[in-house]
Amino acid sequence: MSGRAETARYVALRIVAGIGVMWGAATLAFLLLHVVQGDPVAAVTGSGTTLQPAVRAQIVHDYGFDRPLLVQYFDWLGQVLQGNLGRSYQLDEPVGQALRGQIGPTVALDAGAVLLAVVASLLLAVLTAGRGRTVRSAASGFELLAASTPAFWLGLLALSYLSFRWKLFPGAGATGLSGLILPAAVLAVPLTGMLSQVLRQGLDEALAQPFAVTARARGLGPAALVTRHALRHALVSATTLVGWMVGALFGGAVLIETVFARPGVGRVLLAAVTSRDVPVVAAVVLLVAAAFTVVSLLVDLLVLAIDPRQRTHARA
């Protein structure tokens, strides 16, 4: 089988597996939210609302809450397969319409944070890999501090000083590029700590390989050795980590979105879980699973391009 055919077969298998992951994640979210104790009518009308029995019975009938759970599930699944994500209980509008305005800000924040983290990590890892013990210890200490610092606390600190006191950045609720820089930079700090550790470890391992000794013997300088040869080896594991970061941030940046009063998928998911808005929760879980699937596939293809030896593992 040719290399192109093997790659196509691998992509097809990953797409099938991704569809299975999306179905499993959305099904689990749907069933769990229905199994959890609570009044589904309260999710529609809001907690504390007093309803006449006739009105309550009409809501139960209209939303199908009186049908068996499996019937509700297969009805919802059939609608999803037709591209209909349902109607939000709380917002009283189609779920697709409710999410449409939230995806863009989340993607911008996610992409900005990952881009900043990649650039900072590359610089930090390249400048400290293969250096003396003092430099490595200082870099490790910074990485540990960055990775363990809660992003929401750093966000509050950044808003207090950089926005409100020194007026260097717009405050919470700002839009556009100027309103994106500070939250993206805050979100990038812990990502930089994790990514830099992986990159530097990969560089150190590559610099200890026989090819690096041979390159040094031929007179290649440290900077050229790192950028031309060792970095390619270190990028394999780092690329996988970046893919995980992109997927995790898509629905997991809720704290930063809340601190900076930004719209986004994370805030919508938090509000939907709190109010048991099942159609919105299931749709967001489906969306996040789809993002994970697509990003994971792209990362795998990128890893195969960076290191062709990984094709042996892919065939296995």
Side-chain angles (χ1 to χ4, degrees):
M1 187 181 292
S2 67
R4 184 172 296 179
E6 289 178 355
T7 303
R9 176 176 173 273
Y10 176 70
V11 170
L13 291 175
R14 289 301 306 269
I15 291 175
V16 172
I19 293 174
V21 169
M22 292 165 56
W23 168 76
T27 297
L28 189 61
F30 181 91
L31 295 179
L32 283 178
L33 284 170
H34 277 83
V35 168
V36 170
Q37 293 292 330
D39 183 6
V41 176
V44 178
T45 61
S47 59
T49 303
T50 303
L51 299 173
Q52 296 294 329
V55 176
R56 179 183 180 81
Q58 186 64 44
I59 293 175
V60 169
H61 177 72
D62 290 346
Y63 282 87
F65 296 144
D66 52 348
R67 297 178 300 167
L69 181 58
L70 280 180
V71 175
Q72 295 183 49
Y73 167 70
F74 283 114
D75 182 50
W76 167 79
L77 194 60
Q79 292 182 15
V80 170
L81 291 176
Q82 298 174 28
N84 181 8
L85 297 175
R87 193 173 186 85
S88 169
Y89 297 161
Q90 290 293 310
L91 303 175
D92 194 24
E93 63 179 353
V95 174
Q97 183 177 329
L99 293 179
R100 194 169 298 131
Q102 310 296 324
I103 295 176
T106 293
V107 170
L109 178 62
D110 191 345
V114 172
L115 180 62
L116 290 174
V118 168
V119 172
S121 301
L122 277 173
L123 288 174
L124 189 59
V126 168
L127 291 175
T128 58
R131 297 299 180 92
R133 185 174 180 178
T134 303
V135 174
R136 291 168 52 81
S137 298
S140 297
F142 169 77
E143 291 160 356
L144 181 62
L145 181 65
S148 58
T149 301
F152 74 92
W153 177 81
L154 196 60
L156 292 173
L157 205 64
L159 275 177
S160 299
Y161 285 93
L162 300 180
S163 295
F164 301 142
R165 180 169 297 186
W166 297 331
K167 311 293 183 186
L168 296 176
F169 295 94
T175 58
L177 181 60
S178 60
L180 176 65
I181 294 175
L182 193 56
V186 168
L187 198 55
V189 171
L191 304 183
T192 301
M194 291 186 286
L195 187 57
S196 178
Q197 286 179 331
V198 173
L199 264 175
R200 192 156 46 78
Q201 183 178 356
L203 284 174
D204 286 339
E205 290 176 356
L207 291 174
Q209 296 296 318
F211 75 86
V213 178
T214 304
R216 289 192 189 95
R218 291 179 177 177
L220 198 64
L225 177 60
V226 168
T227 55
R228 293 182 189 174
H229 300 284
L231 189 58
R232 186 184 183 92
H233 294 263
L235 282 178
V236 174
S237 53
T239 302
T240 304
L241 180 59
V242 169
W244 173 83
M245 289 175 174
V246 172
L249 288 180
F250 194 76
V254 57
L255 292 178
I256 291 299
E257 290 172 353
T258 303
V259 168
F260 286 91
R262 288 179 55 83
V265 174
R267 290 186 69 185
V268 171
L269 177 61
L270 178 63
V273 169
T274 304
S275 60
R276 297 185 71 246
D277 197 341
V278 177
V280 175
V281 175
V284 172
V285 170
L286 195 61
L287 192 63
V288 172
F292 258 113
T293 300
V294 172
V295 171
S296 176
L297 177 59
L298 293 177
V299 165
D300 286 347
L301 294 177
L302 186 58
V303 167
L304 293 179
I306 293 173
D307 187 359
R309 293 175 302 175
Q310 299 295 325
R311 292 174 184 171
T312 304
H313 301 291
R315 283 196 295 269

